[in-house]
Amino acid sequence: MAPALSRSLGASSVAALRPTPSRGPTLRGAVAVQGRGAAAPARGVRWEAGRRKGNGKGRLVGVRCDAAVTEKPTGEEEEAAGEQFEYQAEVSRLLDLIVHSLYSHKEVFLRELVSNASDALDKLRFLSVTDSSVLSDGGELEIRIKPDPEAGTITITDTGIGMTKDELKDCLGTIAQSGTSKFLKALKENKDLGADNGLIGQFGVGFYSAFLVAEKVVVSTKSPKADKQYVWEAMADSSSYVIKEETDPEKMLTRGTQITLFLRDDDKYEFADPARIQGLVKNYSQFVSFPIYTWQEKSRTVEVEEEEEPKEGEEATEGEKKKKKTITEKYWDWELANETKPIWMRNPKEVEKTEYNEFYKKAFNEFLDPLAYTHFTTEGEVEFRSVLYIPGMAPLSNEEIMNPKTKNIRLYVKRVFISDDFDGELFPRYLSFVKGVVDSNDLPLNVSREILQESRIVRIMRKRLVRKTFDMIQEIAEKDDKEDYKKFWESFGKFVKLGCIEDTGNHKRLAPLLRFYSSKNETDLISLDQYVENMPENQKAIYYIATDSLQSAKTAPFLEKLVQKDIEVLYLIEPIDEVAIQNLQTYKEKKFVDISKEDLELGDEDEDKEKESKQEYTLLCDWIKQQLGDKVAKVQISKRLSSSPCVLVSGKFGWSANMERLMKAQTLGDTSSLEFMRGRRIFEINPDHPIVKDLSAACKNEPESSEAKRAVELLYETALISSGYTPDSPAELGGKIYEMMTIALGGRWGRPEESEATTTSESNVEVESSEGPATEVVEPSEVRPESDPWKD
């Protein structure tokens, strides 16, 4: 047996799973011994996975080993069968693990206990279908929670089914046994009662979460099946509990269960606060189907008679009316904590738009109505209900933008809040702005009920939620009133573009939602569908240019020939735009083409004319390349210019000028990769421009002219700026421009020469000297007043 186990499980696993003799009451799990078969089969210890049935899905809860041992043909069968042992478990240690290792936050104890109370009420309601006597003299089906800050206790009372003495031992005395699971099994076996989906309990450990905050727990319960009321008591660090009969007449219950938590010293201040309890109920159990009342301090205004002492010498008359004053009086009373109803449980046809809006504002603390909402139920392999909203405005805080942990999606299981802390399990990051609730009866939760396990069910849910969200956005886009989609795009357009980068599987749904300005629509945004509809028949691509602003896009030299040919160009003016379009690659079989990159094909080129121009200006291109050296990869005749003399275009496979600018601006960018990723630069010239024609003449007649060389340098650096690049030395470029301005402006408006100015000033001095005595010229720094104390 040992070699066989060691091959499959390993030696350490065999040692860990070896049973030990029993010495007391434990969690029971016996090693099963197979009986003898007719054909004398192999027998021995068998390990197999046991499954929990509480949530309708198989969950591993235990392991049992069965390793075959060949049956001996001799008469030693009783010795070969071995002795039967029971597993050992230190109950106090096991309880400590359940309490302190399953739950992330102490506050979930109230969620678990309220869920148990809700299950008790549900059980009573089901049993009352066939036996109405269980409801007699028990009052309304409700839950009441009363914190006592002075005593440091919390009392949770329900009017549910209660428990008998045996049920106390069975449910509270056996760890990890779910009474709700057993009840559901009984319901399924009894077809007259039918199956139920509203009960919450699954694992049988939720009750023990009370010890997260309590040092002592007292459970007083009365079942309609029993005449007596029993009390169950246990301490947090003890491995035993006490059950006794309730004899105090003041503590008698008509029906149901009352749980009293004696809080630890560290937790008294927080969890004995009525406001804190109210907040926890609203957060976790707001949509439980039974009313939950909490004991709260309230205030009211009352009128009281004002007592006035009579003044000296005056006697108080009996008939005189006394003055009244208004005071604020504080008192304690029960307050309904879960008045908001779960709107997703209703039929969408019966819910008005105003009700959806009110629920959205209350549930998510919003003040604006949502732009859109969708309410749907998914059945089949995965069953869940959901209400999703698109907010009326974008988040005010930049931290919430593109944050997958925005707490906008609230997950409920059977109307009990589980979590809103997801990292992309239910919604992708680019849809993190969507708000809503998701409620399912059979989600794969961990035992703590806080963590959503990654599984096929979760992936199916995510896919359907995303699809419904796209349908909701598309409905806004197709409305006759375009203002709603304009608001949506202004607030959440960046999220949609991020989806083009991160979610390649949904490109077909994302692309129709995109909106851009274009060369033909500089004031209104257009969709890609509108662009394709306006395309000429011979246009084979969707053209775009990426810049930092709408103004720079309008004036870019790359547009000149396309505008002249009436070809529409999309303006990508946000940093994310270019990356999003590059990830899309095509739309309706039309490729996206960046007009700032080389090899731009417009589809109507005159090959003969191009060949002729290329031959004519080959010498000029080679001469300019010689002057610029490694600054450019090559110099060629441009197909995209009509009025500008030159432009600097990027290579096919490197960064564009816009992308290079963005990458340089990255805070944590890698400067070493800039040279590697920077696209090669091609200098394109316009052969029809006067400057290029002058340079062509200089190249042929005076190729060594310093002025011509300076003109080429200036032309290149000017093209850098107009093409969206940043010059290496802006100050040097400024100096060259000033020098050229000096040459161009010199003497244009009759500026006097320096020699003429000197001659004129000398003649004026001679005229003044001939008219009178010579006047001493004193510099301004030497002029002194008469009262100058330093004067000689």
Side-chain angles (χ1 to χ4, degrees), residues 486-726:
K486 187 177 180 181
K487 290 179 184 177
F488 168 80
W489 188 254
E490 288 175 355
S491 300
F492 308 111
K494 293 184 179 70
F495 291 82
V496 178
K497 294 170 185 176
L498 180 66
C500 296
I501 301 171
E502 296 187 343
D503 192 354
T504 55
N506 281 310
H507 276 177
K508 290 184 178 179
R509 292 188 176 94
L510 286 161
L513 303 176
L514 297 174
R515 298 292 184 271
F516 300 101
Y517 292 105
S518 74
S519 56
K520 293 184 178 180
N521 293 273
E522 297 179 351
T523 56
D524 297 325
L525 293 165
I526 65 165
S527 65
L528 295 178
D529 287 327
Q530 290 173 286
Y531 181 96
V532 173
E533 288 174 6
N534 297 334
M535 285 173 54
E537 293 182 2
N538 60 343
Q539 185 176 334
K540 305 299 181 184
I542 300 175
Y543 298 104
Y544 70 89
I545 181 171
T547 62
D548 59 345
S549 68
L550 185 60
Q551 183 61 33
S552 61
K554 293 177 185 178
T555 56
F558 306 102
L559 286 169
E560 294 173 358
K561 188 70 75 173
L562 287 92
V563 172
Q564 188 176 358
K565 294 185 177 184
D566 198 33
I567 297 176
E568 190 170 14
V569 180
L570 296 177
Y571 295 158
L572 311 188
I573 58 176
E574 292 186 347
I576 196 174
D577 288 354
E578 185 175 0
V579 185
I581 288 295
Q582 288 174 353
N583 277 270
L584 284 180
Q585 295 183 351
T586 62
Y587 183 72
K588 292 186 176 180
E589 300 180 356
K590 305 286 186 182
K591 286 187 176 181
F592 289 99
V593 174
D594 186 352
I595 64 171
S596 68
K597 293 199 171 185
E598 66 174 326
D599 295 341
L600 178 66
E601 300 292 338
L602 301 179
D604 58 348
E605 289 81 3
D606 187 346
E607 294 183 1
D608 294 334
K609 185 178 179 181
E610 287 180 10
K611 189 175 181 180
E612 183 181 343
S613 298
K614 188 175 181 181
Q615 291 177 351
E616 182 181 354
Y617 287 94
T618 299
L619 182 62
L620 175 63
C621 292
D622 294 341
W623 181 69
I624 294 177
K625 175 66 176 74
Q626 183 181 0
Q627 305 307 317
L628 297 179
D630 295 336
K631 293 180 181 179
V632 295
K634 64 179 179 179
V635 180
Q636 63 186 23
I637 303 301
S638 179
K639 302 176 184 178
R640 69 194 87 205
L641 297 176
S642 61
S643 58
S644 298
C646 59
V647 72
L648 206 60
V649 300
S650 308
K652 274 186 178 180
F653 307 106
W655 286 336
S656 65
N658 182 64
M659 185 59 64
E660 186 176 323
R661 175 182 59 83
L662 293 175
M663 296 308 294
K664 283 182 178 179
Q666 296 298 311
T667 305
L668 302 177
D670 183 10
T671 54
S672 61
S673 66
L674 289 177
E675 289 298 324
F676 175 74
M677 288 300 298
R678 187 174 69 179
R680 62 179 193 149
R681 298 172 180 177
I682 295 98
F683 192 64
E684 292 189 356
I685 57 176
N686 179 8
D688 299 326
H689 198 279
I691 295 178
V692 175
K693 291 180 178 180
D694 289 343
L695 288 176
S696 178
C699 167
K700 294 174 182 177
N701 302 325
E702 198 175 346
E704 298 300 324
S705 171
S706 60
E707 292 182 359
K709 291 180 179 180
R710 281 206 310 271
V712 170
E713 287 288 339
L714 184 60
L715 202 63
Y716 167 76
E717 293 184 1
T718 307
L720 270 178
I721 298 175
S722 63
S723 302
Y725 292 99
T726 303

Side-chain angles (χ1 to χ4, degrees), residues 258 679 790:
Q258 185 178 82
W790 300 99

